[in-house]
Amino acid sequence: MELGLQNKIVLVTGGSKGIGFYSALQFVKEGARVAIAARDAQGLEEAKAEIQRLTGADVLTFATDVANEQECKRIVEETAAHYGGLDVLINNAGTASANSFEDVDSALWQSDIDLKLFGAIHCSKYAVPFLKKNGGAIVNLSAVLAKTPPASSLPTTVSRAAGLALTKAMSKDLGKYNIRVNSVCIGLIRSSQIEKMGQAAMPGATWEEYSAEVGKSIPLGRIGNTEEAANAIVFLASNAASYITGTAINVDGGSGGTL
């Protein structure tokens, strides 16, 4: 399948590790020109070096916090100035924050919404003028639990649910410019945090053993790999998904309770 990403210009927020890093790596492998942004400057440099080691390609990096609107403006405009435009925006920046309603104070509500929701809003706001020129794609990262929030999942599920509404509304407004907007809803995906949980829950077990144990409650029988989530993101941003907009794809091994 031809993805049509050769020489496309891509900005990935939260791109220094995890799903963001593997998405950036896959875009580079497809021939795209990539910029990655994250708060951790050292992590960014390590990601840049690893991408260069694996592909021989260079990426542009921004140490920034997308909770700040002016920083969103800066990274979009500097990416476009450096590469000569912008074709794809991946709004991936975010952290897990799961608490009961009574344990979430106003400061945590605000910081979570600023990072996950307004980060996507502001990056998209400044990206759209560039995307209008040739059409393009925005992919907003969300969570399967945003569709069916369980107890003690706040504020993340609320911020992510708002992001799903943002995705649908933006897709309606921006379709006339051939700008597609979609979401990827993540389930249980391998990460350093999940690995630590596995070590605590099953000391001495291999990752495969822990994954299989947790996978007893997942139809596909295991925890997902980071690359599998990245593949869905790259697909939605590509020409192979040219007639897909305003939708949310679950990457969860079938564990979610909704489509």
Side-chain angles (χ1 to χ4, degrees):
M1 182 185 296
E2 176 56 53
L3 296 183
L5 289 167
Q6 186 73 33
N7 292 319
K8 295 293 185 181
I9 301 162
V10 181
L11 172 59
V12 181
T13 69
S16 65
K17 59 185 178 181
I19 293 169
F21 168 79
Y22 279 101
S23 297
L25 177 62
Q26 287 300 102
F27 278 117
V28 171
K29 287 181 176 180
E30 291 293 331
R33 293 174 287 171
V34 176
I36 56 176
R39 288 180 286 191
D40 180 8
Q42 180 178 342
L44 276 172
E45 291 309 306
E46 291 172 354
K48 177 177 181 175
E50 182 66 1
I51 290 172
Q52 191 167 50
R53 183 185 72 82
L54 292 171
T55 68
D58 196 17
V59 296
L60 187 63
T61 61
F62 298 104
T64 190
D65 185 352
V66 298
N68 181 313
E69 181 177 354
Q70 291 307 306
E71 283 297 286
C72 294
K73 182 176 188 288
R74 179 179 73 88
I75 64 174
V76 169
E77 291 183 349
E78 290 188 13
T79 297
H82 182 82
Y83 287 125
L86 184 65
D87 300 297
V88 174
L89 171 65
I90 309 298
N91 286 311
N92 172 67
T95 57
S97 183
N99 304 273
S100 70
F101 179 76
E102 293 176 298
D103 291 332
V104 184
D105 61 21
S106 296
L108 182 54
W109 275 113
Q110 192 66 60
S111 63
D112 199 74
I113 290 170
D114 284 345
L115 175 62
K116 295 172 185 167
L117 180 60
F118 278 103
I121 289 171
H122 292 143
C123 285
S124 299
K125 170 185 174 180
Y126 294 108
V128 163
F130 296 102
L131 298 178
K132 279 183 177 181
K133 294 176 182 178
N134 299 303
I138 298 172
V139 181
N140 297 320
L141 267 288
S142 188
V144 171
L145 294 183
K147 298 180 178 180
T148 53
S152 299
S153 64
L154 304 172
T156 286
T157 50
V158 172
S159 298
R160 293 306 195 191
L164 292 179
L166 175 69
T167 294
K168 178 59 85 173
M170 286 175 64
S171 74
K172 301 287 189 180
D173 286 339
L174 301 178
K176 61 186 177 230
Y177 305 117
N178 196 31
I179 299 173
R180 298 179 299 101
V181 189
N182 292 291
S183 284
V184 171
C185 295
I186 301 301
L188 196 57
I189 297 293
R190 185 174 186 174
S191 67
S192 58
Q193 183 180 6
I194 299 297
E195 288 176 348
K196 289 176 183 176
M197 289 172 56
Q199 292 166 6
M202 296 175 61
T206 65
W207 168 256
E208 288 72 21
E209 289 169 339
Y210 174 66
S211 177
E213 180 62 29
V214 173
K216 290 177 180 178
S217 62
I218 299 172
L220 288 186
R222 61 178 175 83
I223 296 171
N225 294 318
T226 318
E227 296 90 335
E228 292 173 310
N231 287 342
I233 293 166
V234 173
F235 165 73
L236 284 176
S238 76
N239 288 349
S242 58
Y243 200 60
I244 300 174
T245 193
T247 196
I249 294 179
N250 294 351
V251 182
D252 65 350
S255 61
T258 61
L259 293 173

